[in-house]
């Protein structure tokens, strides 16, 4: 008789993935994206966001775990109106590695 | 060069978009927009009594027309009162544009009077939302809001507009074109070919239709597919009416309150063709045990629905109507005699039990008596609870958009304002709202709106003076520990209706309830039809929450 409730999955042990998002640059975009992950208890290990050269767009880098829900997560992110594209990179992508020295 | 205020621009853009009726409630931060609206000869404003009512009126209009409709609310509490109606539209994929007033730009973030961050609050419950920071942006935002609401999988969009933006003067050369929906994705033909092959090769296929069939206007195509390939067809709560219930291939609604035979047929199927449905937990029960032997073909406009709950063997992203049109010429004609005769056998062995169906003083009998007094042109709305499930089980739905119900969110209080919206949109139809006493009290203030507008809405109140589904669950699953589900007070609904200026009849005291009912349904204008229902009548069969669909209780 217990209703099915999604429990936060243990994410340690999964490989990491770097997602590269191109988004419209306006206040509110980050909250749309972060909400999706938070609601599903999908841990985001790292976030990096800067405007692109023409300033009307931003690029967001997300470091996440590759658990079995990632596919669905990416589909949900792609549904956001302000998200123009999502690309997937392996954990070896240097964007977060080069920042690590600021987090010790 | 044109010059006008932001508020006037909004009104012109709404007029150009084809909006003719707006439900709402004014307040300080949206008064410039109301002032501009008062000058419109084209748009009629319907003054709701609570913003949630306004939201559901817009939904009612959108659910019968299929077009995005609009509601207005002021900032702060006005905006937060809309939240439930917006969330409801999101879960049932209803196109809607909610416009809220906001405190002036310079005061945002200062905890100003009636300031809430409605933009932040509605991020997870809208398809998209906007906070407009200059009147010139309205030229882009308003058409965008409609385009997003009606494109692909429909949904609600919120546009939050600060008061000074409404007052700001904007100059522009030409109005933007009214929004049209984006073009649909081109479906994968190879996937359609394999789907056709799977249907041809299946021995025990079932067609599973969802609300997407209604939104896409594809019910005729779906019925044609079923007839061509000999497919027994089940419908979700949202899809009732897409195949007439008395069609020989219909196996009725699936899920928590389905007939036993429906869930048994699904259990035996070797191919499930899911069209515009999303494997909701109330429809499929325990996901791992749903259709355990079936391969799955899943057709949906929303790519995120594919493989979300059940992994499909063939997934087709596309508009349901477009995909069905491409699929039809590729599927072989099949009588499928053996499977269909087995289906008929299950139907007669495990039928839907409807005790009292010939007695209008019982719940099923009342639903049947209402149906007998009406034709298929009537619109049937419900609130949420036992009455909703009894109507879903027993009412003979025969056309799409005949049935308006809060499926995904399950919002008590939906019924009356949604019925008002339906009647505003299609005033020539009879609109019946089945409700329960619990739900009815949640938006009862809209009786004032109903009386004012004099709409042809008949409210059939099934009164058991309790929160019936809660009472039922406590009895079945919580050791009969009945708590907070029976009302101690007992309002006199007939007097309440009278107080609002609405005619009322009581079937309890009528010597001939069938005649009283028919007369009330046939005379024009609003009417409350009151009927007492025993609290001990439960909705059966019932799949316990979290259990597999085959583990039904009762019925």
């Amino acid at each position: 008789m217990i209703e099915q409730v999604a429990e936060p999955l243990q994410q340690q042990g999964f490989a990491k993935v770097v997602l590269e998002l191109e988004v419209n640059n306006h206040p509110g975009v980050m909250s749309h994206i972060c909400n999706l992950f938070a609601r599903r208890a999908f841990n985001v290990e790292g976030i990096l966001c800067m405007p692109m050269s023409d300033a009307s767009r931003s690029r967001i880098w997300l470091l996440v775990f590759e658990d079995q829900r990632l596919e669905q997560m990416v589909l949900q992110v792609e549904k956001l109106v302000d998200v123009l594209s999502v690309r997937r990179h392996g954990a070896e992508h240097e964007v977060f590695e080069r920042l690590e020295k600021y987090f010790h | 060069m044109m010059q006008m205020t932001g508020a006037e621009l909004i009104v012109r853009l709404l007029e150009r978009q084809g909006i003719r009726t707006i439900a709402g409630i004014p307040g300080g931060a949206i008064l410039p927009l109301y002032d501009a609206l008062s000058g419109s000869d084209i748009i009629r404003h319907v003054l709701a009594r609570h913003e949630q009512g306004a939201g559901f009126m817009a939904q009612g209009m959108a659910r019968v027309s299929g077009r995005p409709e609009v509601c207005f609310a002021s900032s702060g509490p006005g905006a937060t009162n809309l939240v439930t109606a917006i969330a409801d539209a999101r879960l049932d994929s209803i196109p809607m544009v909610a416009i809220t007033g906001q405190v002036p730009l310079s005061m945002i973030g200062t905890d100003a009077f009636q300031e809430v961050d409605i933009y932040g609050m509605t991020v997870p419950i809208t398809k998209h939302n906007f906070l407009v920071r200059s009147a010139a942006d309205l030229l882009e935002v308003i058409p965008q809001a409609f385009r997003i609401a009606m494109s692909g999988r429909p949904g609600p969009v919120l546009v939050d507009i600060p008061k000074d933006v409404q007052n700001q003067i904007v100059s522009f050369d030409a109005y933007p074109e009214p929004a049209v929906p984006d073009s649909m994705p081109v479906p994968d033909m190879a996937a359609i070919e394999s789907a056709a092959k799977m249907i041809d090769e299946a021995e025990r296929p079932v067609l599973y239709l969802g609300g997407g069939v209604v939104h896409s206007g594809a019910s005729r195509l779906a019925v044609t597919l079923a007839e061509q390939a000999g497919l027994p067809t089940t419908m979700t709560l949202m899809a009732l009416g897409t195949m007439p219930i008395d069609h020989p291939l219909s196996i009725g609604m699936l899920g928590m309150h389905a007939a036993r035979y429906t869930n048994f047929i699904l259990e035996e199927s070797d191919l499930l063709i899911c069209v515009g449905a999303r494997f909701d937990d109330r429809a499929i029960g325990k996901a791992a045990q749903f259709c355990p032997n079936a391969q799955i073909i899943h057709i949906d406009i929303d790519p995120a629905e594919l493989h979300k709950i059940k992994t499909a063997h063939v997934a087709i992203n596309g508009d349901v109507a477009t995909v069905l049109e491409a699929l039809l010429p590729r599927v072989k004609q099949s009588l499928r005699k053996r499977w269909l005769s087995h289906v008929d056998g299950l139907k007669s062995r495990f039928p839907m039990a409807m005790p009292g169906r010939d007695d209008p003083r019982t719940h099923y009998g009342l639903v049947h008596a209402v149906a007998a007094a009406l034709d298929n042109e009537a619109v049937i709305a419900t609130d949420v609870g036992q009455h909703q499930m009894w109507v879903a089980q027993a009412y003979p739905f025969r056309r799409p958009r005949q049935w308006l119900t809060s499926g995904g969110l399950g919002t008590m209080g939906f019924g009356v304002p949604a019925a008002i919206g339906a009647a505003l949109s299609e005033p020539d139809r009879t609109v019946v709202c089945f409700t329960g006493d619990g739900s009815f009290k949640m938006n009862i203030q809209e009786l004032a709106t109903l009386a004012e507008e004099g709409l042809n809405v008949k409210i059939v109140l099934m009164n058991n003076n309790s929160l019936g589904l809660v009472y039922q669950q406590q009895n079945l699953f919580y050791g009969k520990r009945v708590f907070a589900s029976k009302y101690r007070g007992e309002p006199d609904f007939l007097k309440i209706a009278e107080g609002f200026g609405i005619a009322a009849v009581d079937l309890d005291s009528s010597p001939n309830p069938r005649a009283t009912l028919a007369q009330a349904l046939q005379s024009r204008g609003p009417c409350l039809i009151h009927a007492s229902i025993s609290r001990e009548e439960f909705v059966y069969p019932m799949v316990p929450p979290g259990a597999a669909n085959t583990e039904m209780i009762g019925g």
Side-chain angles (χ1 to χ4, degrees):
Chain A
M1 275 3 129
I2 304 299
E3 301 236 14
Q4 292 153 299
V5 177
E7 282 179 30
L9 290 182
Q10 205 40 267
Q11 288 181 315
Q12 272 66 30
F14 287 104
K16 286 183 187 174
V17 176
V18 172
L19 299 179
E20 177 188 0
L21 281 59
E22 205 175 300
V23 303
N24 289 323
N25 180 17
H26 71 79
V29 178
M30 281 296 275
S31 71
H32 278 98
I33 292 165
C34 292
N35 246 304
L36 284 183
F37 285 89
R39 167 76 182 135
R40 292 167 179 79
F42 198 109
N43 202 17
V44 179
E45 288 285 286
I47 304 179
L48 190 61
C49 177
M50 297 270 279
M52 291 165 68
S53 47
D54 75 348
S56 73
R57 293 177 178 188
S58 292
R59 180 160 291 144
I60 298 177
W61 295 91
L62 299 173
L63 181 65
V64 298
F65 288 106
E66 186 170 25
D67 77 20
Q68 71 270 28
R69 300 173 303 159
L70 182 62
E71 208 72 39
Q72 170 66 202
M73 253 345 296
V74 171
L75 288 169
Q76 294 289 348
V77 172
E78 283 174 339
K79 261 166 74 165
L80 294 174
V81 172
D82 283 324
V83 173
L84 307 168
S85 70
V86 181
R87 287 174 62 194
R88 211 191 271 208
H89 305 277
E92 70 286 351
H93 196 280
E94 61 180 2
V95 61
F96 285 102
E97 259 172 34
R98 288 165 67 176
L99 284 169
E100 267 174 17
K101 64 178 175 183
Y102 298 102
F103 293 87
H104 284 298
Chain B
M1 189 71 130
M2 279 174 277
Q3 215 176 38
M4 61 185 73
T5 66
E8 287 165 329
L9 175 58
I10 297 164
V11 173
R12 296 291 94 76
L13 292 176
L14 294 176
E15 289 171 351
R16 290 170 55 84
Q17 191 64 47
I19 298 302
R20 295 295 173 263
T21 307
I22 294 175
I25 303 186
I30 201 169
L31 275 176
L33 183 52
Y34 268 83
D35 195 33
L37 184 61
S38 73
S40 172
D41 302 324
I42 297 175
I43 300 178
R44 161 189 183 202
H45 181 262
V46 174
L47 180 60
R49 294 330 196 243
H50 184 290
E51 288 83 355
Q52 191 187 108
F56 283 132
M57 286 173 205
Q59 269 212 39
M61 294 191 277
R63 283 177 191 249
V64 295
S65 71
R67 291 188 313 267
E69 296 286 357
V70 177
C71 56
F72 280 180
S74 194
S75 65
T80 55
N81 281 347
L82 275 185
V83 165
T84 303
I86 295 172
D88 188 280
R90 176 70 198 261
L91 279 171
D92 286 349
S93 306
I94 305 301
M96 177 166 104
V97 175
I99 296 180
T100 49
Q102 181 55 277
V103 301
L105 277 174
S106 60
M107 293 171 78
I108 289 181
T110 66
D111 303 325
F113 177 64
Q114 293 192 331
E115 180 192 356
V116 295
D117 176 12
I118 195 66
Y119 175 85
M121 269 180 222
T122 53
V123 165
I125 56 163
T126 51
K127 198 172 167 194
H128 192 56
N129 57 4
F130 298 92
L131 171 53
V132 184
R133 289 174 194 273
S134 85
D137 288 351
L138 291 165
L139 291 162
E140 196 182 326
V141 167
I142 299 292
Q144 287 279 10
F146 282 94
R147 182 188 62 78
I148 293 165
M150 65 173 114
S151 293
R153 179 180 183 173
V157 175
L158 176 119
V159 185
D160 194 27
I161 310 173
K163 190 175 182 182
D164 51 345
V165 173
Q166 297 169 42
N167 282 324
Q168 196 180 20
I169 300 289
V170 54
S171 310
F172 55 98
D173 291 327
Y175 287 110
E177 285 304 307
V180 293
D182 292 340
S183 54
M184 297 289 188
V186 180
D188 172 1
M189 287 314 294
I192 291 177
E193 296 282 0
S194 17
K197 193 157 170 276
M198 282 166 79
I199 295 172
D200 289 345
E201 286 170 3
E203 284 180 11
R204 299 180 304 280
V206 174
L207 183 60
Y208 158 35
L209 305 178
V213 178
V214 178
H215 299 311
S216 172
S219 47
R220 202 163 294 168
L221 289 164
V223 172
T224 308
L225 175 66
E227 290 169 347
Q228 189 171 317
L231 306 173
T233 302
T234 187
M235 289 163 275
T236 66
L237 182 70
M238 296 309 297
L240 293 177
T242 51
M243 175 181 269
I245 202 67
D246 26 27
H247 191 288
L249 287 168
S250 168
I251 57 168
M253 179 176 73
L254 78 163
M256 184 176 268
H257 296 297
R260 284 182 166 261
Y261 75 84
T262 313
N263 287 337
F264 288 146
I265 291 168
L266 282 158
E267 174 81 4
E268 289 190 25
S269 69
D270 67 350
L271 176 68
L272 187 66
I273 307 140
C274 171
V275 183
R278 59 182 176 87
F279 294 92
D280 172 74
D281 56 281
R282 287 298 190 264
I284 72 164
K286 197 173 196 176
Q289 289 171 38
F290 178 63
C291 297
N293 306 313
Q295 293 204 301
I296 294 173
I297 298 169
H298 193 176
I299 305 168
D300 206 287
I301 186 66
D302 180 355
E305 287 303 339
L306 305 171
H307 313 299
K308 185 182 82 175
I309 305 287
K310 295 286 272 186
T311 305
H313 300 80
V314 172
I316 305 169
N317 176 223
D319 169 48
V320 162
T322 315
V323 175
L324 290 181
E325 244 165 73
L327 187 59
L328 276 171
R330 291 171 171 79
V331 172
K332 285 197 194 113
Q333 191 91 27
S334 171
L335 293 175
R336 233 179 278 277
K337 276 189 188 154
R338 200 198 302 171
W339 174 229
L340 289 179
S341 75
H342 184 65
V343 164
D344 285 341
L346 287 170
K347 251 189 203 184
S348 46
R349 271 167 64 208
F350 305 101
M352 185 78 208
M354 289 194 194
R357 63 176 294 163
D358 297 321
D359 175 3
R361 293 191 198 275
T362 70
H363 51 292
Y364 285 129
L366 179 56
V367 176
H368 279 284
V370 170
L374 297 169
D375 60 20
N376 296 337
E377 295 308 304
V379 172
I380 309 299
T382 70
D383 258 302
V384 169
Q386 290 177 315
H387 71 275
Q388 176 192 29
M389 291 300 120
W390 287 326
V391 177
Q393 290 173 331
Y395 199 93
F397 294 106
R398 297 195 181 96
R399 66 173 178 89
R401 302 196 184 281
Q402 182 183 11
W403 160 245
L404 317 180
T405 202
S406 168
L409 195 66
T411 312
M412 294 171 68
F414 169 91
V416 170
I420 291 173
L424 286 168
S425 190
E426 302 194 341
D428 294 333
R429 293 188 194 269
T430 301
V431 181
V432 175
C433 169
F434 283 94
T435 186
D437 55 296
S439 289
F440 189 38
K441 278 178 275 188
M442 291 206 184
N443 269 322
I444 202 163
Q445 76 288 342
E446 299 308 333
L447 288 180
T449 314
L450 177 57
E452 212 164 75
E453 299 292 330
L455 298 162
N456 200 21
V457 173
K458 318 295 179 188
I459 299 164
V460 178
L461 170 57
M462 298 170 106
N463 183 4
N464 59 8
N465 204 38
S466 61
L467 296 163
L469 264 187
V470 175
Y471 181 79
Q472 171 169 344
Q473 290 218 29
Q474 288 173 337
N475 272 283
L476 293 178
F477 309 127
Y478 291 85
K480 299 194 194 300
R481 289 182 299 280
V482 172
F483 180 68
S485 56
K486 287 196 287 188
Y487 295 119
R488 279 175 290 154
E490 201 166 347
D492 184 336
F493 289 105
L494 300 163
K495 277 194 184 144
I496 290 174
E498 189 194 332
F500 276 107
I502 286 181
V505 296
D506 188 7
L507 299 189
D508 296 355
S509 60
S510 163
N512 185 349
R514 200 179 287 279
T516 307
L517 176 69
Q519 199 190 357
L521 290 171
Q522 264 122 46
S523 44
R524 233 188 130 72
C527 182
L528 175 74
I529 299 159
H530 176 270
S532 293
I533 298 293
S534 162
R535 188 180 284 146
E536 304 311 318
E537 295 293 353
F538 291 173
V539 185
Y540 287 128
M542 178 172 195
V543 177
N549 270 355
T550 46
E551 297 167 38
M552 291 163 278
I553 301 171

